[in-house]
Amino acid sequence: MAQDDNGGHELTTANSSAVEHARAGDPGTAVIVQDAVPNPGFPTHRPRITDINPVKQRRAERVVYTLFYLSIVGSIWAIAAYMMFPIESSDPGSVRLNTLFIGLGIALALLAIGIGAVHWGKALMYEQEGIDLRHPVRGSEVTIERAVEIFQEADQESGFSRRTVVRNSLIGALIAFPLPAIVLFRGLGPQNQNPVTLLSHTMWKAGTRLTRDPEGTPIKATDVTLGSAFHVIPEGLNETPDPLEEKAKAAVLLMRLNPADLNVSPARKTWNYNGIVAYSKICTHVGCPVALYEQQTHHLLCPCHQSQFDITHEAKVIFGPAKRPLPQLPITVDAEGYLVARSDFTEPVGPSFWERN
Amino acid sequence: MSTTTAAPRAAKKGGFTAAAANYLEDRTSMSAAVREFGRKIFPDHWSFLLGEVALYSFIVILLSGTFLTFFFQASQASVIYDGSFVPLKGVEMSSAMSSTLNISFDIRGGLLMRQVHHWAALLFVASIGLHMLRIYFTGAFRKPRELNWVIGFVLFILAMAEGFTGYSLPDDLLSGNGLRIIDGLIKGIPLVGTWISFLLFGGEFPGTAIVGRLYTLHILLLPALVLAMIALHLLFVVVHKHTQYAGPGRTQENVIGYPVLPVYAAKAGGFFFIVFGVVVLMASFFTINPIWNYGPYDPSPVSAGTQPDWYIGFADGALRLIPPGWEFVWLNHTWSFNILTPLIVIGVFIVLVMFYPFIESWITGDRREHHILDRPRNAPTRTAIGAAGVTFYAGLWAAASSDLIATHFMLTIEGVIHAIQAIVVLGPFVAFFIAKRVCLALQKKDRSIALHGYESGRIVRLPGGEYIEVHERLDEYERWRLVSFESYQPLMLRPNSRGKITVGQRVRAGISRWFFEDRIAPVTMRELEEGHGHH
Ligand code: FES
């Protein structure tokens, strides 16, 4: 170590504290100055006002015990407030009063103890600073040698390094025994399901009616006026056994634009109905609901990380960390004029995942 | 009064206290502990209180949290709310949400306890962060305390995990949205992400398992880890003895301060009550996390302008700063670099911070114990690195409020994001440069004050007609503060015993040069004497 460091060993001479400090180890590239200014030692101690003036001392005592008594008052006040300020379900303000007055009592009780104790410590307790000596953290060489010896003896007596087969088989067993516990955690998720299949489908099917979120009432194409937007769920969602999981995939935003404003790719010619388009509401970034619709620009904004999607260009990303456009739900109308899905989404909705391609 | 009759000798002096002490001593040998620790010295400085705040707020969290567990139901079983909060009456929600509403509206003092718990948690993470900055900028992480730095850092991460799991428990709209983001993040991890999310949520997001699982983490596993780490952390503080700032009489071989009994106990014990009291005061006056305004979780409603708890901000901000398009399909799999980049960058940042003590000691090669703290200016490069790190973190953190900044100052979202991107990438370099220059300037000023004293403002005309300002010399105690530090010089490359210069040494020498090339040495005795000669 020493030869690669120009640690000023050449410079080191007699400064006692520097030398002692250096004794504890290699100083590396630290420059040890030979004629460093010496430590002047402790300044003379100045007594506090309460040490010299008995009147001040008595006053400090009074302050301390007054605070402690005040603390008792605070505790009693808190208990009284518990009874005096009940929560009435008819009065929303009662919760605030209950919280406030119980809290004030407890805070007074605590703060008065705290301030009193600190004041006692600062103003009245003996205040000369003490000195502890430090010893190197490393134990004495004798202790260390003995520790090494103990390990050697234990090794001798057990034959840990001699009996290699015994030792290695033990290591193998110790590695293997936690494995079952890890496997057991497979049970955290349902056994006979595959997340990739689940993520690839939603409850939209050909003919599923688009309904309002959260009421579940169907929407007529004629209800959707130009420039309006609807939060949509599939019909029957509220009756499914796990509506939240279904909703987390199937939530849709419905908007009507002037058909001339829409730039529709050939494959999607039939996916909108007279300028009415439906897009997944689940952000393709990490899955927040994207539902801030700017009517003028036809942009959708995700409130979580501000990804912006352009509805006139099939929800392609124009800003923000999301990469993929929001999936479009192909829609049409049924015989009664209600909006229905033509099929499920043609790709998985929501955040990206490894198996998606 | 003594109740002992069988051992009158023990009882006759001191009465009940002595008898009780004797009883315990015979069974525990506790006098040894009192002798060892009773008069242990702790140095005093306001910056040493930051760690104490962290410790005390954790105790407050444990106490208030225990109270909450008696009422909270960590279940996502669906119920119809029928409590006192009228606007949500009849709404379908999970038991978790409904029991949290009951704590807030049907149990006297319940809302107070919820708010104490939440405020104390925010304070816990904040005080750990400030404590870490204090440790960093004063070099308190140097040998022998490197491992304790790592333990402290693990505590910081555990504290954030505690915070996030707790935030998710009420199952309200915001916490559900937070989990939604976590779910999306996890899914972005290559190879295992989809399955981790599937297992974590017990099937598809959101499922009905997550709140119960987070609850187990939040009240069992994580607190146990935090407690174990705190115990270890404090054990090391005792083993190492506390660091101290340079001052007259203070050396590497001593600790100057107050004994545990009585002064330190009074001050630290009192300070616990003050911290507790302040938290209760905040909880009495300021509402936090009003879940009743948000309603139960539903994957569909929008929530514009909502913010995570402050300590998660940096991660959320990092997600926002990724430019469009950082995701692609390759080898038939999706590579979400819009998610991986923040994870990797934050991961690298964490590892660098965590291992900083080892990096610095590798560069300096210094293997001595350091118990005297550095003034930040006396370690300019370290301080500058710290300033760069803080700037980086602050940039990420600000990004989490990009939408609020934009709406508040009438700016475009795009403009704000681009500005913060610049801050996060370039800001650290600027901060580094400025901080380093400031440190060096302060060091120069210290030197000149140590040598020539303060400017007294008194102008004197010399016999020759020349005007000078009289400088007031320092006394030796004041001067000691300014001169008692060490500096390092860049490593000079020398061949090792086999006559080779290894690559490692070259790297080390390069970093060492960068670290220590601008060096201001402490004033020496000789310079001081020459300085005297001037006037
Ligand atoms: S979840 Fe929409 S931008 Fe991140």
Side-chain angles (χ1 to χ4, degrees):
Chain A
M1 200 68 243
Q3 82 252 7
D4 62 9
D5 291 326
N6 43 333
H9 299 288
E10 315 85 44
L11 302 173
T12 315
T13 49
N15 184 306
S16 71
S17 92
V19 171
E20 266 183 64
H21 184 201
R23 212 175 45 190
D26 184 338
T29 61
V31 181
I32 293 163
V33 185
Q34 44 180 319
D35 64 339
V37 179
N39 192 325
F42 297 105
T44 42
H45 183 71
R46 283 206 213 89
R48 292 167 300 193
I49 185 86
T50 43
D51 292 332
I52 12 182
N53 185 340
V55 180
K56 291 267 156 60
Q57 193 178 45
R58 251 173 284 125
R59 179 183 300 162
E61 277 171 18
R62 261 199 314 274
V63 168
V64 173
Y65 68 65
T66 311
L67 280 165
F68 290 159
Y69 280 130
L70 208 59
S71 166
I72 300 177
V73 172
S75 295
I76 294 172
W77 167 251
I79 297 169
Y82 186 92
M83 297 180 271
M84 282 156 43
F85 298 96
I87 301 175
E88 320 278 4
S89 57
S90 53
D91 173 18
S94 63
V95 176
R96 176 164 305 152
L97 293 183
N98 179 275
T99 303
L100 182 64
F101 286 113
I102 296 182
L104 283 179
I106 297 178
L108 177 63
L110 294 166
L111 286 173
I113 295 182
I115 296 169
V118 170
H119 192 56
W120 186 1
K122 282 200 153 169
L124 291 169
M125 288 184 187
Y126 180 71
E127 58 120 23
Q128 274 279 29
E129 287 182 313
I131 305 178
D132 263 359
L133 292 185
R134 290 182 196 274
H135 311 288
V137 174
R138 186 182 168 85
S140 75
E141 291 312 312
V142 181
T143 319
I144 296 168
E145 260 167 45
R146 181 61 196 134
V148 172
E149 223 172 75
I150 288 173
F151 277 119
Q152 280 164 352
E153 283 166 15
D155 186 32
Q156 277 296 317
E157 290 165 17
S158 63
F160 191 76
S161 28
R162 218 166 351 110
R163 304 190 171 107
T164 46
V165 180
V166 175
R167 183 194 61 201
N168 293 348
S169 56
L170 172 65
I171 294 175
L174 288 176
I175 292 173
F177 98 92
L179 297 180
I182 296 172
V183 172
L184 288 184
F185 278 101
R186 169 62 183 87
L188 282 172
Q191 284 297 339
N192 303 317
Q193 289 176 5
N194 182 333
V196 179
T197 341
L198 291 174
L199 287 171
S200 309
H201 303 287
T202 73
M203 69 176 281
W204 291 106
K205 285 197 297 282
T208 311
R209 275 184 180 163
L210 280 70
T211 62
R212 290 181 182 81
D213 178 18
E215 306 87 347
T217 50
I219 305 167
K220 276 213 159 97
T222 46
D223 298 341
V224 187
T225 52
L226 201 64
S228 68
F230 284 71
H231 299 272
V232 166
I233 49 176
E235 181 163 40
L237 180 125
N238 292 333
E239 286 72 51
T240 52
D242 35 17
L244 285 187
E245 286 80 79
E246 294 301 346
K247 195 171 185 179
K249 289 189 296 184
V252 155
L253 203 69
L254 187 75
M255 291 143 290
R256 181 168 202 157
L257 282 71
N258 189 339
D261 289 341
L262 289 174
N263 298 283
V264 185
S265 55
R268 296 190 179 183
K269 281 279 182 258
T270 57
W271 288 17
N272 74 71
Y273 180 79
N274 288 344
I276 303 178
V277 285
Y279 283 96
S280 164
K281 204 171 152 185
I282 312 301
C283 188
T284 56
H285 180 221
V286 290
C288 287
V290 185
L292 303 181
Y293 179 51
E294 267 189 336
Q295 246 186 48
Q296 306 303 320
T297 54
H298 309 298
H299 290 172
L300 279 176
L301 175 72
C302 179
C304 284
H305 313 103
Q306 280 82 47
S307 287
Q308 290 171 33
F309 304 86
D310 182 0
I311 294 305
T312 60
H313 286 86
E314 301 185 337
K316 83 163 199 239
V317 179
I318 49 174
F319 187 75
K323 159 75 188 268
R324 290 175 294 104
L326 296 168
Q328 186 177 1
L329 183 73
I331 53 168
T332 182
V333 290
D334 62 10
E336 295 162 63
Y338 288 110
L339 290 165
V340 296
R342 281 179 173 272
S343 70
D344 193 356
F345 288 100
T346 56
E347 55 179 317
V349 301
S352 302
F353 52 95
W354 175 246
E355 292 84 352
R356 193 182 199 286
N357 47 43
Chain B
M1 289 301 114
S2 165
T3 52
T4 326
T5 48
R9 270 174 308 134
K12 73 174 177 251
K13 39 181 174 141
F16 177 75
T17 314
N22 257 319
Y23 181 94
L24 284 177
E25 175 62 23
D26 289 349
R27 285 155 186 83
T28 62
S29 176
M30 67 173 189
S31 62
V34 176
R35 202 187 65 177
E36 182 65 26
F37 301 114
R39 283 296 205 173
K40 210 174 159 48
I41 296 294
F42 276 90
D44 221 11
H45 190 269
W46 66 265
S47 69
F48 299 164
L49 294 180
L50 295 168
E52 283 185 42
V53 175
L55 179 64
Y56 301 151
S57 44
F58 183 65
I59 298 173
V60 175
I61 292 172
L62 278 185
L63 294 174
S64 54
T66 306
F67 179 84
L68 295 176
T69 58
F70 294 136
F71 303 98
F72 179 66
Q73 280 168 353
S75 151
Q76 279 163 292
S78 162
V79 295
I80 304 292
Y81 176 69
D82 187 30
S84 299
F85 186 66
V86 180
L88 286 177
K89 248 191 202 314
V91 171
E92 190 176 342
M93 59 178 68
S94 64
S95 306
M97 172 85 183
S98 131
S99 59
T100 312
L101 286 172
N102 286 342
I103 292 174
S104 310
F105 292 103
D106 290 277
I107 291 160
R108 294 185 207 181
L111 179 61
L112 180 71
M113 280 300 145
R114 257 194 73 214
Q115 297 191 148
V116 165
H117 195 65
H118 204 134
W119 279 120
L122 296 184
L123 185 63
F124 183 47
V125 193
S127 53
I128 296 181
L130 292 175
H131 176 59
M132 279 173 41
L133 289 177
R134 196 281 287 174
I135 301 286
Y136 178 84
F137 284 110
T138 59
F141 54 77
R142 289 172 297 170
K143 188 182 171 186
R145 297 182 179 77
E146 304 97 321
L147 298 179
N148 224 15
W149 165 267
V150 175
I151 293 171
F153 196 77
V154 170
L155 273 168
F156 185 52
I157 293 174
L158 286 174
M160 289 192 285
E162 274 285 31
F164 189 80
T165 51
Y167 183 80
S168 305
L169 292 181
D171 204 21
D172 59 292
L173 188 60
L174 282 195
S175 73
N177 236 320
L179 284 173
R180 173 83 251 200
I181 294 174
I182 292 292
D183 170 60
L185 270 182
I186 294 175
K187 283 188 175 136
I189 300 171
L191 209 61
V192 290
T194 313
W195 276 91
I196 293 181
S197 151
F198 183 68
L199 295 179
L200 181 66
F201 288 91
E204 283 192 273
F205 176 86
T208 50
I210 189 69
V211 166
R213 287 175 184 176
L214 291 178
Y215 192 55
T216 306
L217 295 180
H218 184 75
I219 70 161
L220 181 73
L221 205 56
L222 290 171
L225 286 175
V226 171
L227 273 176
M229 290 289 158
I230 288 181
L232 214 54
H233 200 65
L234 296 181
L235 176 73
F236 277 132
V237 172
V238 170
V239 170
H240 297 146
K241 298 200 165 94
H242 208 288
T243 50
Q244 58 190 352
Y245 285 97
R250 286 154 206 242
T251 69
Q252 299 282 5
E253 281 86 30
N254 67 16
V255 199
I256 315 298
Y258 295 105
V260 166
L261 293 176
V263 177
Y264 186 74
K267 285 188 183 173
F271 191 54
F272 163 70
F273 283 97
I274 292 178
V275 170
F276 200 165
V278 168
V279 170
V280 174
L281 212 55
M282 294 206 293
S284 324
F285 281 108
F286 305 113
T287 302
I288 186 157
N289 202 18
I291 53 156
W292 51 91
N293 287 344
Y294 313 143
Y297 180 59
D298 179 328
S300 161
V302 218
S303 34
T306 51
Q307 299 285 291
D309 270 352
W310 77 265
Y311 46 83
I312 298 294
F314 77 102
D316 194 49
L319 282 174
R320 296 183 184 210
L321 291 178
I322 301 299
W326 287 27
E327 180 191 305
F328 49 85
V329 174
W330 182 50
L331 302 178
N332 223 9
H333 286 291
T334 300
W335 298 76
S336 305
F337 278 95
N338 47 357
I339 287 161
L340 286 175
T341 312
L343 290 181
I344 293 169
V345 169
I346 289 172
V348 169
F349 182 67
I350 283 174
V351 168
L352 282 179
V353 175
M354 188 141 126
F355 291 108
Y356 183 81
F358 308 102
I359 301 173
E360 191 183 298
S361 91
W362 173 68
I363 296 167
T364 61
D366 191 342
R367 301 287 178 271
R368 297 166 301 171
E369 291 187 7
H370 290 274
H371 302 293
I372 299 270
L373 297 171
D374 279 331
R375 297 170 81 204
R377 67 185 62 174
N378 289 333
T381 308
R382 179 204 295 149
T383 303
I385 294 175
V390 169
T391 310
F392 175 73
Y393 182 91
L396 295 185
W397 191 66
S401 306
S402 55
D403 48 341
L404 295 189
I405 297 174
T407 49
H408 194 83
F409 297 103
M410 313 277 201
L411 304 165
T412 62
I413 276 284
E414 292 84 349
V416 172
I417 290 283
H418 289 146
I420 298 177
Q421 281 168 339
I423 289 174
V424 165
V425 177
L426 303 175
F429 293 99
V430 177
F432 180 91
F433 180 80
I434 295 176
K436 186 153 180 185
R437 291 299 127 192
V438 167
C439 283
L440 290 171
L442 288 172
Q443 272 190 302
K444 282 190 190 134
K445 185 169 137 240
D446 279 358
R447 249 187 93 85
S448 102
I449 292 175
L451 283 173
H452 312 299
Y454 290 105
E455 292 168 3
S456 64
R458 201 150 54 84
I459 310 289
V460 172
R461 187 178 172 193
L462 296 182
E466 175 193 2
Y467 288 92
I468 58 156
E469 182 177 5
V470 176
H471 281 234
E472 210 80 69
R473 299 203 68 84
L474 303 173
D475 69 25
E476 53 179 348
Y477 303 116
E478 290 169 319
R479 189 196 304 128
W480 176 247
R481 258 170 49 80
L482 304 182
V483 300
S484 58
F485 67 93
E486 263 184 355
S487 64
Y488 292 83
Q489 56 188 3
L491 174 71
M492 261 190 276
L493 271 182
R494 287 180 201 174
N496 66 10
S497 50
R498 277 179 295 139
K500 286 221 173 92
I501 296 178
T502 58
V503 179
Q505 282 305 324
R506 276 181 207 284
V507 175
R508 191 181 148 208
I511 304 177
S512 167
R513 199 174 327 114
W514 172 70
F515 236 84
F516 299 121
E517 61 189 349
D518 300 312
R519 186 172 75 85
I520 293 195
V523 172
T524 62
M525 223 37 213
R526 186 148 45 90
E527 289 171 315
L528 211 53
E529 274 147 22
E530 281 165 10
H532 275 277
H534 274 315
H535 295 283

